[in-house]
Amino acid sequence: MAPGRAVDEDLAERVKAFAASRFGARAEIVFHPQCFLTHGHFAGPDAARAAAFLDVANDPSFDALWFARGGYGSCRIAARVLPKLGESARAKTYLGYSDAGTLLAALYKQGFKRLAHGPMPIDVVREGGEAALLRALAFLIEADASGVEPNLSEAPAAAFNMTILSNVVGTAYEPDLADHVLMLEEVAEYAYRIDRSLFHITSSPLVRRIQGLRLGRCSDIPSNDPDFGMSEEEIARHWCAEAGIAYLGRADIGHDVDNRIVPFGSWRGGA
């Protein structure tokens, strides 16, 4: 289902055809009709997107809920769906990134175990995007961990788009990330906005309890006038030092076809 913006039916058919070519009958992918709705910016009104989420999450015949794309909208349905999730919803795998991070955070706060930051169907439109799809599908269908972020350790982990987590911090959906390795990525934000987001994130008392922070790729950073004077890694190191958080280096995640999968917590399996 699409919690933010819509996808078109051609994309859905392309994804299903690719999955069938690689995994045969094991890859039964169902695009909820809501994915193709349009309502201004969104893939249907808030009520329709929330209903679609619940349709999939609470249906025991589905093994996973794969977010179709990002594009803003998840926060508008969180309060509508969270109180209505049953045991079937807790047994599912949830996979996505970008704007879907709001729902991943909210589900993690509620104790859901099978959550992961990773590629979505929309990635097929990127050059080389089939590699991202293959990584996600192998994880979901075969519990194949070869596409998992290589820096994962015994410590629990979580990953988010930086702006999304910054907007979740301080809300009822902020998860407890104590002792986690937190991985953050960003796209198309000015350096000063990266700086502001990391100030907010690392100022959270809950975030300050993490084991350490890894910085994913920050791509398509617009030119600033005047130049901000610090790289994204220098910014991350600065705010980690200010907050007393260990900076652990880079992470292999980002808004690109090389985006690796980060299962939340200590879970490492697929669907």
Side-chain angles (χ1 to χ4, degrees), residues 122-190:
I122 191 65
D123 288 316
V124 76
V125 305
R126 303 179 190 272
E127 184 177 354
E130 289 185 349
L133 286 194
L134 183 60
R135 190 179 311 124
L137 289 166
F139 178 79
L140 290 172
I141 296 167
E142 299 180 335
D144 184 341
S146 63
V148 166
E149 208 283 333
N151 293 295
L152 292 181
S153 64
E154 293 300 315
F160 296 95
N161 170 263
M162 195 182 297
T163 296
I164 295 301
L165 183 59
S166 181
N167 281 282
V168 168
V169 162
T171 72
Y173 309 122
E174 181 183 2
D176 185 354
L177 299 175
D179 300 320
H180 285 57
V181 173
L182 175 61
M183 302 185 187
L184 299 174
E185 51 83 15
E186 191 53 277
V187 63
E189 295 287 0
Y190 287 97

Side-chain angles (χ1 to χ4, degrees), residues 67-133:
F67 295 106
R69 66 167 301 164
Y72 181 67
S74 293
C75 66
R76 295 177 62 99
I77 67 170
R80 294 172 181 254
V81 303
L82 292 174
K84 298 177 181 178
L85 295 171
E87 288 307 308
S88 292
R90 287 186 174 271
K92 274 185 181 55
T93 297
Y94 298 80
L95 178 65
Y97 71 106
S98 189
D99 178 69
T102 299
L103 287 169
L104 293 175
L107 293 169
Y108 201 47
K109 173 73 177 287
Q110 289 209 344
F112 281 59
K113 304 295 186 184
R114 301 169 70 88
L115 312 171
H117 174 286
M120 299 182 291
I122 191 65
D123 288 316
V124 76
V125 305
R126 303 179 190 272
E127 184 177 354
E130 289 185 349
L133 286 194

